[in-house]
Amino acid sequence: MNLLVDNIQWVLLVCGLLTFSLVQGVFAPRSVLNRYFGEIEPSEAAVMLLRSWATLVAISGLFLIYAALTPAVRPTALIVVGTGKLVFVSLIVSQPPRFLKGQARVAAAVDGVMVVIFAAYLITTQIPA
């Protein structure tokens, strides 16, 4: 686990950049709805909600990048962002026929790996030596 702890700044930077990439949903929500969820003609409400969700996810990515550079906020960032990612993965997996396809499947898998990494780091750094 020292490998993870010693390189967490790089891990957080990569995770932050991957997470921030959903900022595309703010500017091209219909495209994201189509690629992630197969929605061809999304309603205006779905477009508005996607923009809101994409903004929050992008902010989470920025929080991870900030945590990569600021060790004092790492536990808070990992708990907050990890919880959001865990909820997303749970929601996607809870309805596999509808959502476990396309880019949503990839995003859920990547976010699931991030949750495991974040938990491993938190457990490793919180156990007294």
Side-chain angles (χ1 to χ4, degrees), residues 22-37 39 42-44 46-54:
L22 196 66
V23 73
Q24 64 187 310
V26 175
F27 303 104
R30 285 179 172 76
S31 174
V32 171
L33 280 164
N34 186 343
R35 280 185 291 128
Y36 275 66
F37 305 108
E39 296 293 321
S43 68
E44 288 304 311
V47 169
M48 184 268 307
L49 288 170
L50 190 280
R51 278 195 167 119
S52 176
W53 172 61

mmCIF file with all atom_site columns, all heavy atoms in Angstrom, residues 22-37 39 42-44 46-54:
data_model
loop_
_atom_site.group_PDB
_atom_site.id
_atom_site.type_symbol
_atom_site.label_atom_id
_atom_site.label_alt_id
_atom_site.label_comp_id
_atom_site.label_asym_id
_atom_site.label_entity_id
_atom_site.label_seq_id
_atom_site.pdbx_PDB_ins_code
_atom_site.Cartn_x
_atom_site.Cartn_y
_atom_site.Cartn_z
_atom_site.occupancy
_atom_site.B_iso_or_equiv
_atom_site.pdbx_formal_charge
_atom_site.auth_seq_id
_atom_site.auth_comp_id
_atom_site.auth_asym_id
_atom_site.auth_atom_id
_atom_site.pdbx_PDB_model_num
ATOM 1   N N   . LEU A 1 22 ? -16.228 15.234 -17.657 1.00 0.00 ? 22 LEU A N   1
ATOM 2   C CA  . LEU A 1 22 ? -17.682 15.303 -17.869 1.00 0.00 ? 22 LEU A CA  1
ATOM 3   C C   . LEU A 1 22 ? -18.166 16.744 -18.019 1.00 0.00 ? 22 LEU A C   1
ATOM 4   O O   . LEU A 1 22 ? -19.342 16.979 -18.293 1.00 0.00 ? 22 LEU A O   1
ATOM 5   C CB  . LEU A 1 22 ? -18.457 14.593 -16.751 1.00 0.00 ? 22 LEU A CB  1
ATOM 6   C CG  . LEU A 1 22 ? -19.912 14.306 -17.141 1.00 0.00 ? 22 LEU A CG  1
ATOM 7   C CD1 . LEU A 1 22 ? -20.010 13.310 -18.285 1.00 0.00 ? 22 LEU A CD1 1
ATOM 8   C CD2 . LEU A 1 22 ? -20.713 13.846 -15.966 1.00 0.00 ? 22 LEU A CD2 1
ATOM 9   N N   . VAL A 1 23 ? -17.268 17.710 -17.919 1.00 0.00 ? 23 VAL A N   1
ATOM 10  C CA  . VAL A 1 23 ? -17.636 19.099 -18.183 1.00 0.00 ? 23 VAL A CA  1
ATOM 11  C C   . VAL A 1 23 ? -18.234 19.227 -19.584 1.00 0.00 ? 23 VAL A C   1
ATOM 12  O O   . VAL A 1 23 ? -18.998 20.150 -19.855 1.00 0.00 ? 23 VAL A O   1
ATOM 13  C CB  . VAL A 1 23 ? -16.427 20.057 -17.981 1.00 0.00 ? 23 VAL A CB  1
ATOM 14  C CG1 . VAL A 1 23 ? -15.418 19.929 -19.108 1.00 0.00 ? 23 VAL A CG1 1
ATOM 15  C CG2 . VAL A 1 23 ? -16.889 21.491 -17.821 1.00 0.00 ? 23 VAL A CG2 1
ATOM 16  N N   . GLN A 1 24 ? -17.930 18.270 -20.458 1.00 0.00 ? 24 GLN A N   1
ATOM 17  C CA  . GLN A 1 24 ? -18.520 18.265 -21.801 1.00 0.00 ? 24 GLN A CA  1
ATOM 18  C C   . GLN A 1 24 ? -20.047 18.260 -21.731 1.00 0.00 ? 24 GLN A C   1
ATOM 19  O O   . GLN A 1 24 ? -20.715 18.791 -22.614 1.00 0.00 ? 24 GLN A O   1
ATOM 20  C CB  . GLN A 1 24 ? -18.021 17.069 -22.598 1.00 0.00 ? 24 GLN A CB  1
ATOM 21  C CG  . GLN A 1 24 ? -18.446 15.731 -21.997 1.00 0.00 ? 24 GLN A CG  1
ATOM 22  C CD  . GLN A 1 24 ? -17.844 14.534 -22.663 1.00 0.00 ? 24 GLN A CD  1
ATOM 23  O OE1 . GLN A 1 24 ? -17.894 14.442 -23.877 1.00 0.00 ? 24 GLN A OE1 1
ATOM 24  N NE2 . GLN A 1 24 ? -17.297 13.626 -21.879 1.00 0.00 ? 24 GLN A NE2 1
ATOM 25  N N   . GLY A 1 25 ? -20.602 17.693 -20.675 1.00 0.00 ? 25 GLY A N   1
ATOM 26  C CA  . GLY A 1 25 ? -22.054 17.650 -20.516 1.00 0.00 ? 25 GLY A CA  1
ATOM 27  C C   . GLY A 1 25 ? -22.685 19.009 -20.289 1.00 0.00 ? 25 GLY A C   1
ATOM 28  O O   . GLY A 1 25 ? -23.874 19.197 -20.542 1.00 0.00 ? 25 GLY A O   1
ATOM 29  N N   . VAL A 1 26 ? -21.905 19.965 -19.818 1.00 0.00 ? 26 VAL A N   1
ATOM 30  C CA  . VAL A 1 26 ? -22.417 21.325 -19.629 1.00 0.00 ? 26 VAL A CA  1
ATOM 31  C C   . VAL A 1 26 ? -22.633 21.978 -20.992 1.00 0.00 ? 26 VAL A C   1
ATOM 32  O O   . VAL A 1 26 ? -23.599 22.700 -21.200 1.00 0.00 ? 26 VAL A O   1
ATOM 33  C CB  . VAL A 1 26 ? -21.440 22.164 -18.772 1.00 0.00 ? 26 VAL A CB  1
ATOM 34  C CG1 . VAL A 1 26 ? -21.888 23.608 -18.670 1.00 0.00 ? 26 VAL A CG1 1
ATOM 35  C CG2 . VAL A 1 26 ? -21.262 21.544 -17.398 1.00 0.00 ? 26 VAL A CG2 1
ATOM 36  N N   . PHE A 1 27 ? -21.732 21.683 -21.922 1.00 0.00 ? 27 PHE A N   1
ATOM 37  C CA  . PHE A 1 27 ? -21.751 22.346 -23.225 1.00 0.00 ? 27 PHE A CA  1
ATOM 38  C C   . PHE A 1 27 ? -22.430 21.522 -24.324 1.00 0.00 ? 27 PHE A C   1
ATOM 39  O O   . PHE A 1 27 ? -22.910 22.100 -25.297 1.00 0.00 ? 27 PHE A O   1
ATOM 40  C CB  . PHE A 1 27 ? -20.314 22.688 -23.640 1.00 0.00 ? 27 PHE A CB  1
ATOM 41  C CG  . PHE A 1 27 ? -19.627 23.538 -22.615 1.00 0.00 ? 27 PHE A CG  1
ATOM 42  C CD1 . PHE A 1 27 ? -18.680 22.987 -21.762 1.00 0.00 ? 27 PHE A CD1 1
ATOM 43  C CD2 . PHE A 1 27 ? -19.950 24.877 -22.463 1.00 0.00 ? 27 PHE A CD2 1
ATOM 44  C CE1 . PHE A 1 27 ? -18.051 23.764 -20.802 1.00 0.00 ? 27 PHE A CE1 1
ATOM 45  C CE2 . PHE A 1 27 ? -19.338 25.659 -21.501 1.00 0.00 ? 27 PHE A CE2 1
ATOM 46  C CZ  . PHE A 1 27 ? -18.381 25.111 -20.667 1.00 0.00 ? 27 PHE A CZ  1
ATOM 47  N N   . ALA A 1 28 ? -22.452 20.205 -24.173 1.00 0.00 ? 28 ALA A N   1
ATOM 48  C CA  . ALA A 1 28 ? -23.070 19.334 -25.178 1.00 0.00 ? 28 ALA A CA  1
ATOM 49  C C   . ALA A 1 28 ? -23.902 18.258 -24.482 1.00 0.00 ? 28 ALA A C   1
ATOM 50  O O   . ALA A 1 28 ? -23.624 17.071 -24.595 1.00 0.00 ? 28 ALA A O   1
ATOM 51  C CB  . ALA A 1 28 ? -21.995 18.705 -26.057 1.00 0.00 ? 28 ALA A CB  1
ATOM 52  N N   . PRO A 1 29 ? -24.948 18.668 -23.757 1.00 0.00 ? 29 PRO A N   1
ATOM 53  C CA  . PRO A 1 29 ? -25.703 17.697 -22.956 1.00 0.00 ? 29 PRO A CA  1
ATOM 54  C C   . PRO A 1 29 ? -26.408 16.620 -23.782 1.00 0.00 ? 29 PRO A C   1
ATOM 55  O O   . PRO A 1 29 ? -26.480 15.470 -23.366 1.00 0.00 ? 29 PRO A O   1
ATOM 56  C CB  . PRO A 1 29 ? -26.712 18.560 -22.194 1.00 0.00 ? 29 PRO A CB  1
ATOM 57  C CG  . PRO A 1 29 ? -26.830 19.812 -22.997 1.00 0.00 ? 29 PRO A CG  1
ATOM 58  C CD  . PRO A 1 29 ? -25.490 20.022 -23.625 1.00 0.00 ? 29 PRO A CD  1
ATOM 59  N N   . ARG A 1 30 ? -26.910 16.967 -24.944 1.00 0.00 ? 30 ARG A N   1
ATOM 60  C CA  . ARG A 1 30 ? -27.607 15.966 -25.767 1.00 0.00 ? 30 ARG A CA  1
ATOM 61  C C   . ARG A 1 30 ? -26.652 14.859 -26.220 1.00 0.00 ? 30 ARG A C   1
ATOM 62  O O   . ARG A 1 30 ? -27.000 13.681 -26.235 1.00 0.00 ? 30 ARG A O   1
ATOM 63  C CB  . ARG A 1 30 ? -28.279 16.641 -26.961 1.00 0.00 ? 30 ARG A CB  1
ATOM 64  C CG  . ARG A 1 30 ? -29.533 17.385 -26.564 1.00 0.00 ? 30 ARG A CG  1
ATOM 65  C CD  . ARG A 1 30 ? -30.182 18.089 -27.763 1.00 0.00 ? 30 ARG A CD  1
ATOM 66  N NE  . ARG A 1 30 ? -31.471 18.641 -27.407 1.00 0.00 ? 30 ARG A NE  1
ATOM 67  C CZ  . ARG A 1 30 ? -31.648 19.745 -26.686 1.00 0.00 ? 30 ARG A CZ  1
ATOM 68  N NH1 . ARG A 1 30 ? -30.608 20.420 -26.251 1.00 0.00 ? 30 ARG A NH1 1
ATOM 69  N NH2 . ARG A 1 30 ? -32.858 20.185 -26.392 1.00 0.00 ? 30 ARG A NH2 1
ATOM 70  N N   . SER A 1 31 ? -25.447 15.256 -26.578 1.00 0.00 ? 31 SER A N   1
ATOM 71  C CA  . SER A 1 31 ? -24.444 14.279 -26.988 1.00 0.00 ? 31 SER A CA  1
ATOM 72  C C   . SER A 1 31 ? -24.094 13.336 -25.844 1.00 0.00 ? 31 SER A C   1
ATOM 73  O O   . SER A 1 31 ? -23.987 12.118 -26.029 1.00 0.00 ? 31 SER A O   1
ATOM 74  C CB  . SER A 1 31 ? -23.186 15.005 -27.472 1.00 0.00 ? 31 SER A CB  1
ATOM 75  O OG  . SER A 1 31 ? -22.160 14.096 -27.736 1.00 0.00 ? 31 SER A OG  1
ATOM 76  N N   . VAL A 1 32 ? -23.927 13.882 -24.644 1.00 0.00 ? 32 VAL A N   1
ATOM 77  C CA  . VAL A 1 32 ? -23.603 13.059 -23.474 1.00 0.00 ? 32 VAL A CA  1
ATOM 78  C C   . VAL A 1 32 ? -24.771 12.136 -23.134 1.00 0.00 ? 32 VAL A C   1
ATOM 79  O O   . VAL A 1 32 ? -24.568 10.954 -22.850 1.00 0.00 ? 32 VAL A O   1
ATOM 80  C CB  . VAL A 1 32 ? -23.213 13.947 -22.268 1.00 0.00 ? 32 VAL A CB  1
ATOM 81  C CG1 . VAL A 1 32 ? -23.100 13.130 -21.006 1.00 0.00 ? 32 VAL A CG1 1
ATOM 82  C CG2 . VAL A 1 32 ? -21.905 14.670 -22.562 1.00 0.00 ? 32 VAL A CG2 1
ATOM 83  N N   . LEU A 1 33 ? -25.988 12.645 -23.182 1.00 0.00 ? 33 LEU A N   1
ATOM 84  C CA  . LEU A 1 33 ? -27.157 11.802 -22.907 1.00 0.00 ? 33 LEU A CA  1
ATOM 85  C C   . LEU A 1 33 ? -27.250 10.653 -23.909 1.00 0.00 ? 33 LEU A C   1
ATOM 86  O O   . LEU A 1 33 ? -27.603 9.535  -23.543 1.00 0.00 ? 33 LEU A O   1
ATOM 87  C CB  . LEU A 1 33 ? -28.437 12.637 -22.934 1.00 0.00 ? 33 LEU A CB  1
ATOM 88  C CG  . LEU A 1 33 ? -28.712 13.431 -21.670 1.00 0.00 ? 33 LEU A CG  1
ATOM 89  C CD1 . LEU A 1 33 ? -29.764 14.500 -21.921 1.00 0.00 ? 33 LEU A CD1 1
ATOM 90  C CD2 . LEU A 1 33 ? -29.146 12.521 -20.542 1.00 0.00 ? 33 LEU A CD2 1
ATOM 91  N N   . ASN A 1 34 ? -26.906 10.916 -25.144 1.00 0.00 ? 34 ASN A N   1
ATOM 92  C CA  . ASN A 1 34 ? -26.946 9.868  -26.162 1.00 0.00 ? 34 ASN A CA  1
ATOM 93  C C   . ASN A 1 34 ? -25.849 8.832  -25.924 1.00 0.00 ? 34 ASN A C   1
ATOM 94  O O   . ASN A 1 34 ? -26.108 7.639  -25.901 1.00 0.00 ? 34 ASN A O   1
ATOM 95  C CB  . ASN A 1 34 ? -26.809 10.501 -27.550 1.00 0.00 ? 34 ASN A CB  1
ATOM 96  C CG  . ASN A 1 34 ? -26.996 9.484  -28.655 1.00 0.00 ? 34 ASN A CG  1
ATOM 97  O OD1 . ASN A 1 34 ? -26.929 8.286  -28.444 1.00 0.00 ? 34 ASN A OD1 1
ATOM 98  N ND2 . ASN A 1 34 ? -27.225 9.964  -29.856 1.00 0.00 ? 34 ASN A ND2 1
ATOM 99  N N   . ARG A 1 35 ? -24.594 9.289  -25.726 1.00 0.00 ? 35 ARG A N   1
ATOM 100 C CA  . ARG A 1 35 ? -23.473 8.361  -25.553 1.00 0.00 ? 35 ARG A CA  1
ATOM 101 C C   . ARG A 1 35 ? -23.537 7.578  -24.253 1.00 0.00 ? 35 ARG A C   1
ATOM 102 O O   . ARG A 1 35 ? -23.183 6.407  -24.203 1.00 0.00 ? 35 ARG A O   1
ATOM 103 C CB  . ARG A 1 35 ? -22.147 9.095  -25.648 1.00 0.00 ? 35 ARG A CB  1
ATOM 104 C CG  . ARG A 1 35 ? -21.733 9.362  -27.083 1.00 0.00 ? 35 ARG A CG  1
ATOM 105 C CD  . ARG A 1 35 ? -20.366 9.983  -27.180 1.00 0.00 ? 35 ARG A CD  1
ATOM 106 N NE  . ARG A 1 35 ? -20.441 11.332 -26.652 1.00 0.00 ? 35 ARG A NE  1
ATOM 107 C CZ  . ARG A 1 35 ? -19.622 11.817 -25.722 1.00 0.00 ? 35 ARG A CZ  1
ATOM 108 N NH1 . ARG A 1 35 ? -18.662 11.097 -25.242 1.00 0.00 ? 35 ARG A NH1 1
ATOM 109 N NH2 . ARG A 1 35 ? -19.756 13.042 -25.285 1.00 0.00 ? 35 ARG A NH2 1
ATOM 110 N N   . TYR A 1 36 ? -23.961 8.233  -23.178 1.00 0.00 ? 36 TYR A N   1
ATOM 111 C CA  . TYR A 1 36 ? -23.971 7.570  -21.870 1.00 0.00 ? 36 TYR A CA  1
ATOM 112 C C   . TYR A 1 36 ? -25.212 6.713  -21.660 1.00 0.00 ? 36 TYR A C   1
ATOM 113 O O   . TYR A 1 36 ? -25.128 5.633  -21.089 1.00 0.00 ? 36 TYR A O   1
ATOM 114 C CB  . TYR A 1 36 ? -23.884 8.603  -20.744 1.00 0.00 ? 36 TYR A CB  1
ATOM 115 C CG  . TYR A 1 36 ? -22.480 9.035  -20.401 1.00 0.00 ? 36 TYR A CG  1
ATOM 116 C CD1 . TYR A 1 36 ? -21.702 9.742  -21.297 1.00 0.00 ? 36 TYR A CD1 1
ATOM 117 C CD2 . TYR A 1 36 ? -21.931 8.728  -19.164 1.00 0.00 ? 36 TYR A CD2 1
ATOM 118 C CE1 . TYR A 1 36 ? -20.422 10.144 -20.981 1.00 0.00 ? 36 TYR A CE1 1
ATOM 119 C CE2 . TYR A 1 36 ? -20.647 9.117  -18.836 1.00 0.00 ? 36 TYR A CE2 1
ATOM 120 C CZ  . TYR A 1 36 ? -19.894 9.829  -19.761 1.00 0.00 ? 36 TYR A CZ  1
ATOM 121 O OH  . TYR A 1 36 ? -18.619 10.218 -19.442 1.00 0.00 ? 36 TYR A OH  1
ATOM 122 N N   . PHE A 1 37 ? -26.353 7.221  -22.072 1.00 0.00 ? 37 PHE A N   1
ATOM 123 C CA  . PHE A 1 37 ? -27.618 6.579  -21.710 1.00 0.00 ? 37 PHE A CA  1
ATOM 124 C C   . PHE A 1 37 ? -28.489 6.177  -22.902 1.00 0.00 ? 37 PHE A C   1
ATOM 125 O O   . PHE A 1 37 ? -29.601 5.684  -22.718 1.00 0.00 ? 37 PHE A O   1
ATOM 126 C CB  . PHE A 1 37 ? -28.414 7.482  -20.773 1.00 0.00 ? 37 PHE A CB  1
ATOM 127 C CG  . PHE A 1 37 ? -27.640 7.888  -19.554 1.00 0.00 ? 37 PHE A CG  1
ATOM 128 C CD1 . PHE A 1 37 ? -27.180 9.183  -19.403 1.00 0.00 ? 37 PHE A CD1 1
ATOM 129 C CD2 . PHE A 1 37 ? -27.343 6.961  -18.563 1.00 0.00 ? 37 PHE A CD2 1
ATOM 130 C CE1 . PHE A 1 37 ? -26.449 9.555  -18.284 1.00 0.00 ? 37 PHE A CE1 1
ATOM 131 C CE2 . PHE A 1 37 ? -26.607 7.322  -17.446 1.00 0.00 ? 37 PHE A CE2 1
ATOM 132 C CZ  . PHE A 1 37 ? -26.161 8.621  -17.305 1.00 0.00 ? 37 PHE A CZ  1
ATOM 133 N N   . GLU A 1 39 ? -30.081 8.040  -24.981 1.00 0.00 ? 39 GLU A N   1
ATOM 134 C CA  . GLU A 1 39 ? -31.228 8.928  -25.184 1.00 0.00 ? 39 GLU A CA  1
ATOM 135 C C   . GLU A 1 39 ? -31.051 9.682  -26.504 1.00 0.00 ? 39 GLU A C   1
ATOM 136 O O   . GLU A 1 39 ? -30.128 10.478 -26.650 1.00 0.00 ? 39 GLU A O   1
ATOM 137 C CB  . GLU A 1 39 ? -31.358 9.930  -24.031 1.00 0.00 ? 39 GLU A CB  1
ATOM 138 C CG  . GLU A 1 39 ? -31.644 9.296  -22.684 1.00 0.00 ? 39 GLU A CG  1
ATOM 139 C CD  . GLU A 1 39 ? -33.015 8.654  -22.606 1.00 0.00 ? 39 GLU A CD  1
ATOM 140 O OE1 . GLU A 1 39 ? -33.977 9.227  -23.150 1.00 0.00 ? 39 GLU A OE1 1
ATOM 141 O OE2 . GLU A 1 39 ? -33.109 7.573  -22.006 1.00 0.00 ? 39 GLU A OE2 1
ATOM 142 N N   . PRO A 1 42 ? -33.760 13.562 -25.964 1.00 0.00 ? 42 PRO A N   1
ATOM 143 C CA  . PRO A 1 42 ? -34.026 13.846 -24.555 1.00 0.00 ? 42 PRO A CA  1
ATOM 144 C C   . PRO A 1 42 ? -34.939 15.057 -24.390 1.00 0.00 ? 42 PRO A C   1
ATOM 145 O O   . PRO A 1 42 ? -34.946 15.969 -25.211 1.00 0.00 ? 42 PRO A O   1
ATOM 146 C CB  . PRO A 1 42 ? -32.634 14.141 -23.992 1.00 0.00 ? 42 PRO A CB  1
ATOM 147 C CG  . PRO A 1 42 ? -31.837 14.611 -25.154 1.00 0.00 ? 42 PRO A CG  1
ATOM 148 C CD  . PRO A 1 42 ? -32.387 13.881 -26.345 1.00 0.00 ? 42 PRO A CD  1
ATOM 149 N N   . SER A 1 43 ? -35.712 15.027 -23.313 1.00 0.00 ? 43 SER A N   1
ATOM 150 C CA  . SER A 1 43 ? -36.588 16.158 -23.010 1.00 0.00 ? 43 SER A CA  1
ATOM 151 C C   . SER A 1 43 ? -35.749 17.343 -22.533 1.00 0.00 ? 43 SER A C   1
ATOM 152 O O   . SER A 1 43 ? -34.585 17.192 -22.156 1.00 0.00 ? 43 SER A O   1
ATOM 153 C CB  . SER A 1 43 ? -37.585 15.765 -21.916 1.00 0.00 ? 43 SER A CB  1
ATOM 154 O OG  . SER A 1 43 ? -36.900 15.579 -20.682 1.00 0.00 ? 43 SER A OG  1
ATOM 155 N N   . GLU A 1 44 ? -36.360 18.508 -22.538 1.00 0.00 ? 44 GLU A N   1
ATOM 156 C CA  . GLU A 1 44 ? -35.661 19.700 -22.049 1.00 0.00 ? 44 GLU A CA  1
ATOM 157 C C   . GLU A 1 44 ? -35.311 19.557 -20.568 1.00 0.00 ? 44 GLU A C   1
ATOM 158 O O   . GLU A 1 44 ? -34.275 20.041 -20.119 1.00 0.00 ? 44 GLU A O   1
ATOM 159 C CB  . GLU A 1 44 ? -36.499 20.956 -22.297 1.00 0.00 ? 44 GLU A CB  1
ATOM 160 C CG  . GLU A 1 44 ? -36.558 21.347 -23.762 1.00 0.00 ? 44 GLU A CG  1
ATOM 161 C CD  . GLU A 1 44 ? -35.181 21.556 -24.377 1.00 0.00 ? 44 GLU A CD  1
ATOM 162 O OE1 . GLU A 1 44 ? -34.336 22.272 -23.797 1.00 0.00 ? 44 GLU A OE1 1
ATOM 163 O OE2 . GLU A 1 44 ? -34.941 20.992 -25.471 1.00 0.00 ? 44 GLU A OE2 1
ATOM 164 N N   . ALA A 1 46 ? -34.540 16.711 -19.069 1.00 0.00 ? 46 ALA A N   1
ATOM 165 C CA  . ALA A 1 46 ? -33.372 15.826 -19.013 1.00 0.00 ? 46 ALA A CA  1
ATOM 166 C C   . ALA A 1 46 ? -32.099 16.595 -19.366 1.00 0.00 ? 46 ALA A C   1
ATOM 167 O O   . ALA A 1 46 ? -31.052 16.406 -18.738 1.00 0.00 ? 46 ALA A O   1
ATOM 168 C CB  . ALA A 1 46 ? -33.557 14.640 -19.946 1.00 0.00 ? 46 ALA A CB  1
ATOM 169 N N   . VAL A 1 47 ? -32.172 17.474 -20.354 1.00 0.00 ? 47 VAL A N   1
ATOM 170 C CA  . VAL A 1 47 ? -31.016 18.285 -20.751 1.00 0.00 ? 47 VAL A CA  1
ATOM 171 C C   . VAL A 1 47 ? -30.595 19.197 -19.603 1.00 0.00 ? 47 VAL A C   1
ATOM 172 O O   . VAL A 1 47 ? -29.404 19.309 -19.281 1.00 0.00 ? 47 VAL A O   1
ATOM 173 C CB  . VAL A 1 47 ? -31.334 19.102 -22.030 1.00 0.00 ? 47 VAL A CB  1
ATOM 174 C CG1 . VAL A 1 47 ? -30.258 20.139 -22.308 1.00 0.00 ? 47 VAL A CG1 1
ATOM 175 C CG2 . VAL A 1 47 ? -31.493 18.163 -23.221 1.00 0.00 ? 47 VAL A CG2 1
ATOM 176 N N   . MET A 1 48 ? -31.568 19.831 -18.957 1.00 0.00 ? 48 MET A N   1
ATOM 177 C CA  . MET A 1 48 ? -31.262 20.724 -17.835 1.00 0.00 ? 48 MET A CA  1
ATOM 178 C C   . MET A 1 48 ? -30.649 19.952 -16.672 1.00 0.00 ? 48 MET A C   1
ATOM 179 O O   . MET A 1 48 ? -29.661 20.380 -16.077 1.00 0.00 ? 48 MET A O   1
ATOM 180 C CB  . MET A 1 48 ? -32.536 21.448 -17.387 1.00 0.00 ? 48 MET A CB  1
ATOM 181 C CG  . MET A 1 48 ? -32.335 22.488 -16.294 1.00 0.00 ? 48 MET A CG  1
ATOM 182 S SD  . MET A 1 48 ? -32.534 21.890 -14.590 1.00 0.00 ? 48 MET A SD  1
ATOM 183 C CE  . MET A 1 48 ? -34.107 21.126 -14.609 1.00 0.00 ? 48 MET A CE  1
ATOM 184 N N   . LEU A 1 49 ? -31.213 18.777 -16.365 1.00 0.00 ? 49 LEU A N   1
ATOM 185 C CA  . LEU A 1 49 ? -30.675 17.967 -15.270 1.00 0.00 ? 49 LEU A CA  1
ATOM 186 C C   . LEU A 1 49 ? -29.278 17.454 -15.597 1.00 0.00 ? 49 LEU A C   1
ATOM 187 O O   . LEU A 1 49 ? -28.411 17.401 -14.716 1.00 0.00 ? 49 LEU A O   1
ATOM 188 C CB  . LEU A 1 49 ? -31.613 16.801 -14.962 1.00 0.00 ? 49 LEU A CB  1
ATOM 189 C CG  . LEU A 1 49 ? -32.912 17.184 -14.271 1.00 0.00 ? 49 LEU A CG  1
ATOM 190 C CD1 . LEU A 1 49 ? -33.861 15.997 -14.225 1.00 0.00 ? 49 LEU A CD1 1
ATOM 191 C CD2 . LEU A 1 49 ? -32.649 17.727 -12.881 1.00 0.00 ? 49 LEU A CD2 1
ATOM 192 N N   . LEU A 1 50 ? -29.031 17.089 -16.841 1.00 0.00 ? 50 LEU A N   1
ATOM 193 C CA  . LEU A 1 50 ? -27.703 16.637 -17.236 1.00 0.00 ? 50 LEU A CA  1
ATOM 194 C C   . LEU A 1 50 ? -26.682 17.751 -17.076 1.00 0.00 ? 50 LEU A C   1
ATOM 195 O O   . LEU A 1 50 ? -25.582 17.528 -16.585 1.00 0.00 ? 50 LEU A O   1
ATOM 196 C CB  . LEU A 1 50 ? -27.715 16.113 -18.676 1.00 0.00 ? 50 LEU A CB  1
ATOM 197 C CG  . LEU A 1 50 ? -26.456 15.384 -19.153 1.00 0.00 ? 50 LEU A CG  1
ATOM 198 C CD1 . LEU A 1 50 ? -25.322 16.223 -19.559 1.00 0.00 ? 50 LEU A CD1 1
ATOM 199 C CD2 . LEU A 1 50 ? -26.126 14.208 -18.313 1.00 0.00 ? 50 LEU A CD2 1
ATOM 200 N N   . ARG A 1 51 ? -27.060 18.963 -17.478 1.00 0.00 ? 51 ARG A N   1
ATOM 201 C CA  . ARG A 1 51 ? -26.143 20.102 -17.310 1.00 0.00 ? 51 ARG A CA  1
ATOM 202 C C   . ARG A 1 51 ? -25.809 20.312 -15.841 1.00 0.00 ? 51 ARG A C   1
ATOM 203 O O   . ARG A 1 51 ? -24.657 20.558 -15.475 1.00 0.00 ? 51 ARG A O   1
ATOM 204 C CB  . ARG A 1 51 ? -26.756 21.371 -17.891 1.00 0.00 ? 51 ARG A CB  1
ATOM 205 C CG  . ARG A 1 51 ? -26.587 21.493 -19.366 1.00 0.00 ? 51 ARG A CG  1
ATOM 206 C CD  . ARG A 1 51 ? -26.881 22.908 -19.861 1.00 0.00 ? 51 ARG A CD  1
ATOM 207 N NE  . ARG A 1 51 ? -26.405 23.032 -21.210 1.00 0.00 ? 51 ARG A NE  1
ATOM 208 C CZ  . ARG A 1 51 ? -27.159 23.311 -22.257 1.00 0.00 ? 51 ARG A CZ  1
ATOM 209 N NH1 . ARG A 1 51 ? -28.452 23.520 -22.096 1.00 0.00 ? 51 ARG A NH1 1
ATOM 210 N NH2 . ARG A 1 51 ? -26.634 23.401 -23.455 1.00 0.00 ? 51 ARG A NH2 1
ATOM 211 N N   . SER A 1 52 ? -26.800 20.216 -14.980 1.00 0.00 ? 52 SER A N   1
ATOM 212 C CA  . SER A 1 52 ? -26.581 20.381 -13.545 1.00 0.00 ? 52 SER A CA  1
ATOM 213 C C   . SER A 1 52 ? -25.673 19.271 -13.003 1.00 0.00 ? 52 SER A C   1
ATOM 214 O O   . SER A 1 52 ? -24.717 19.531 -12.281 1.00 0.00 ? 52 SER A O   1
ATOM 215 C CB  . SER A 1 52 ? -27.928 20.373 -12.812 1.00 0.00 ? 52 SER A CB  1
ATOM 216 O OG  . SER A 1 52 ? -27.730 20.435 -11.426 1.00 0.00 ? 52 SER A OG  1
ATOM 217 N N   . TRP A 1 53 ? -25.978 18.024 -13.368 1.00 0.00 ? 53 TRP A N   1
ATOM 218 C CA  . TRP A 1 53 ? -25.177 16.881 -12.926 1.00 0.00 ? 53 TRP A CA  1
ATOM 219 C C   . TRP A 1 53 ? -23.745 17.009 -13.427 1.00 0.00 ? 53 TRP A C   1
ATOM 220 O O   . TRP A 1 53 ? -22.787 16.802 -12.683 1.00 0.00 ? 53 TRP A O   1
ATOM 221 C CB  . TRP A 1 53 ? -25.831 15.588 -13.420 1.00 0.00 ? 53 TRP A CB  1
ATOM 222 C CG  . TRP A 1 53 ? -25.026 14.351 -13.204 1.00 0.00 ? 53 TRP A CG  1
ATOM 223 C CD1 . TRP A 1 53 ? -24.614 13.835 -12.010 1.00 0.00 ? 53 TRP A CD1 1
ATOM 224 C CD2 . TRP A 1 53 ? -24.527 13.459 -14.197 1.00 0.00 ? 53 TRP A CD2 1
ATOM 225 N NE1 . TRP A 1 53 ? -23.900 12.672 -12.209 1.00 0.00 ? 53 TRP A NE1 1
ATOM 226 C CE2 . TRP A 1 53 ? -23.832 12.429 -13.545 1.00 0.00 ? 53 TRP A CE2 1
ATOM 227 C CE3 . TRP A 1 53 ? -24.616 13.431 -15.585 1.00 0.00 ? 53 TRP A CE3 1
ATOM 228 C CZ2 . TRP A 1 53 ? -23.230 11.382 -14.234 1.00 0.00 ? 53 TRP A CZ2 1
ATOM 229 C CZ3 . TRP A 1 53 ? -24.020 12.391 -16.256 1.00 0.00 ? 53 TRP A CZ3 1
ATOM 230 C CH2 . TRP A 1 53 ? -23.336 11.389 -15.575 1.00 0.00 ? 53 TRP A CH2 1
ATOM 231 N N   . ALA A 1 54 ? -23.571 17.366 -14.702 1.00 0.00 ? 54 ALA A N   1
ATOM 232 C CA  . ALA A 1 54 ? -22.235 17.488 -15.280 1.00 0.00 ? 54 ALA A CA  1
ATOM 233 C C   . ALA A 1 54 ? -21.435 18.580 -14.571 1.00 0.00 ? 54 ALA A C   1
ATOM 234 O O   . ALA A 1 54 ? -20.229 18.430 -14.362 1.00 0.00 ? 54 ALA A O   1
ATOM 235 C CB  . ALA A 1 54 ? -22.332 17.772 -16.775 1.00 0.00 ? 54 ALA A CB  1
#
